[in-house]
Amino acid sequence: MLPPFHHRKRRGRALIVEGGGMRGAFSGGALAGLAMEKRPPEYYDIVVGVSSGSCSAAYYVTGTTNSRAAISRFLMVWRHELIDSKLISLRNLLHGRPPLDQEYLVDDLFGQKYRIERERLYDRNRPPFYIVVSNIETRQAEFIRATGANLLRLLKAATSLPIATRGRRRMGAHTYTDGGVLEPLPVQRLIDAGYTEITVVLTNPRHFRQEPTGKLLSWMCFPRNPQLAHLLHTKQHLKHQAAYQLINNPPPGVEITIIDPPGTLPVSMIGSNALQLNDSVDIGIARASEILRNSKQRLLGKAGWLQRLIPFPARRQI
């Protein structure tokens, strides 16, 4: 089933932000780099976030991207608020809580201290923002449009990493888990919906090849849902590999801009070292700026070639 967003395309531009746990620090930096290079959310017709990528994408879509102070404030979440044991701590287990504290992340940070301006999701000038979640009961990926009313609950569902959190969140009539379980990078979905100019923010180098999740680990992620555990073990890595193959070899008529780390990031999926997180943010900013500037230079080069081929008429002297 195609996601219900094909009706919004005007210029066919889409932005997808991949998940990756704490490697999302790179995504946060990359989106800040887009904003600094005068690439606001209004440039796109749609923005789609997966897992931790949906958190940074939420700030990007709703933020004041022409303000350096606003961009720096959003990056404070990655630079200062997720370090050490603030977000992830095994000590939480002693108090009956999962290692990753979603209430601190979503309610305290996103909802209050660094409040996401949720009301801006109703602004018609901003692109619709979809977040990918995995339906535990139907075992299907769903694309849910974020609104001011549902955003925080949706972010909790999207970041319900198995083992690190309770691995599930109830929304309405269904229970959801991390969207990356069933749809790690929905590039093909967007192409099928008619989008032809796609920017993809990755948290791994573009030629990365994901390996299968182990059978035991898959069962530990979903001990009460053997079918979902089986899909995680047998299918998820194949979808991830297929998506990376597609972005490196897009079909005719589709242009894909890849913003990816130039190498392995300093921070791991569950890392919380302050220096590593800050380095990953800085790498994201620099990488996005570099790729966008190179893209602009290529466009200028093409325009110059076209002008030489079909010279403009000389101006008449008055």
Side-chain angles (χ1 to χ4, degrees):
M1 181 179 68
L2 288 177
F5 44 59
H6 58 279
H7 64 282
R8 267 292 302 207
K9 66 178 184 294
R10 297 167 299 185
R11 296 152 298 187
R13 295 172 179 167
L15 170 65
I16 308 175
V17 187
E18 184 184 30
M22 301 300 283
R23 293 199 303 267
F26 172 85
S27 302
L31 293 178
L34 288 182
M36 292 174 184
E37 291 297 323
K38 311 304 182 187
R39 178 69 66 85
E42 292 85 358
Y43 177 86
Y44 298 102
D45 300 312
I46 187 171
V47 176
V48 180
V50 183
S51 191
S52 65
S54 59
C55 301
S56 294
Y59 278 105
Y60 176 72
V61 171
T62 63
T64 308
T65 54
N66 61 352
S67 167
R68 291 269 177 161
I71 295 170
S72 297
R73 187 171 183 275
F74 143 61
L75 292 177
M76 289 281 285
V77 174
W78 289 106
R79 292 191 185 280
H80 299 289
E81 301 295 345
L82 306 184
I83 66 174
D84 302 327
S85 60
K86 289 184 176 182
L87 176 66
I88 301 175
S89 175
L90 294 178
R91 289 196 297 270
N92 290 341
L93 297 172
L94 300 176
H95 303 285
R97 300 195 303 267
L100 192 153
D101 189 345
Q102 280 188 298
E103 279 62 40
Y104 167 71
L105 177 67
V106 178
D107 295 334
D108 296 347
L109 298 182
F110 301 163
Q112 297 183 45
K113 189 172 182 179
Y114 300 89
R115 184 179 180 274
I116 297 173
E117 303 293 337
R118 304 191 294 276
E119 60 276 5
R120 290 181 178 168
L121 291 169
Y122 298 114
D123 184 348
R124 292 187 176 183
N125 292 321
R126 294 181 185 247
F129 175 37
Y130 284 84
I131 294 178
V132 185
V133 288
S134 298
N135 189 314
I136 288 178
E137 288 117 8
T138 65
R139 295 180 292 282
Q140 295 290 325
E142 294 185 13
F143 297 75
I144 300 179
R145 184 169 179 175
T147 67
N150 72 5
L151 178 63
L152 296 186
R153 288 180 290 121
L154 193 50
L155 288 176
K156 284 184 179 179
T159 58
S160 288
L161 302 168
I163 300 177
T165 72
R166 299 192 190 281
R168 59 180 61 215
R169 283 284 173 173
R170 190 80 179 173
M171 282 189 64
H174 296 285
T175 305
Y176 297 97
T177 189
D178 187 311
V181 171
L182 296 176
E183 191 65 72
L185 195 64
V187 183
Q188 186 65 62
R189 299 284 190 114
L190 285 163
I191 293 174
D192 291 342
Y195 292 89
T196 56
E197 186 181 332
I198 302 172
T199 301
V200 183
V201 178
L202 304 179
T203 52
N204 291 293
R206 65 188 66 191
H207 296 295
F208 172 79
R209 181 178 175 84
Q210 180 158 319
E211 297 299 323
T213 304
K215 193 171 185 179
L216 176 60
L217 181 57
S218 299
W219 175 83
M220 291 174 64
C221 289
F222 301 104
R224 298 179 183 179
N225 195 320
Q227 297 95 333
L228 192 55
H230 179 72
L231 289 174
L232 177 60
H233 171 57
T234 61
K235 301 294 185 182
Q236 195 246 18
H237 70 288
L238 297 178
K239 285 192 172 185
H240 194 276
Q241 291 173 8
Y244 270 54
Q245 176 71 15
L246 178 60
I247 63 174
N248 283 294
N249 301 278
V254 175
E255 179 183 345
I256 297 181
T257 299
I258 305 171
I259 301 176
D260 63 331
T264 302
L265 287 172
V267 71
S268 68
M269 179 175 283
I270 58 172
S272 58
N273 178 274
L275 181 60
Q276 293 174 353
L277 282 167
N278 276 273
D279 283 350
S280 296
V281 169
D282 292 336
I283 292 170
I285 294 172
R287 186 66 166 163
S289 298
E290 173 195 0
I291 289 172
L292 282 194
R293 288 174 183 174
N294 289 342
S295 177
K296 290 175 183 176
Q297 288 174 357
R298 285 196 300 272
L299 288 175
L300 289 173
K302 289 180 181 179
W305 176 84
L306 183 61
Q307 185 174 349
R308 290 192 297 272
L309 183 66
I310 309 174
F312 294 119
R315 292 182 179 180
R316 291 188 302 169
Q317 296 294 324
I318 299 176

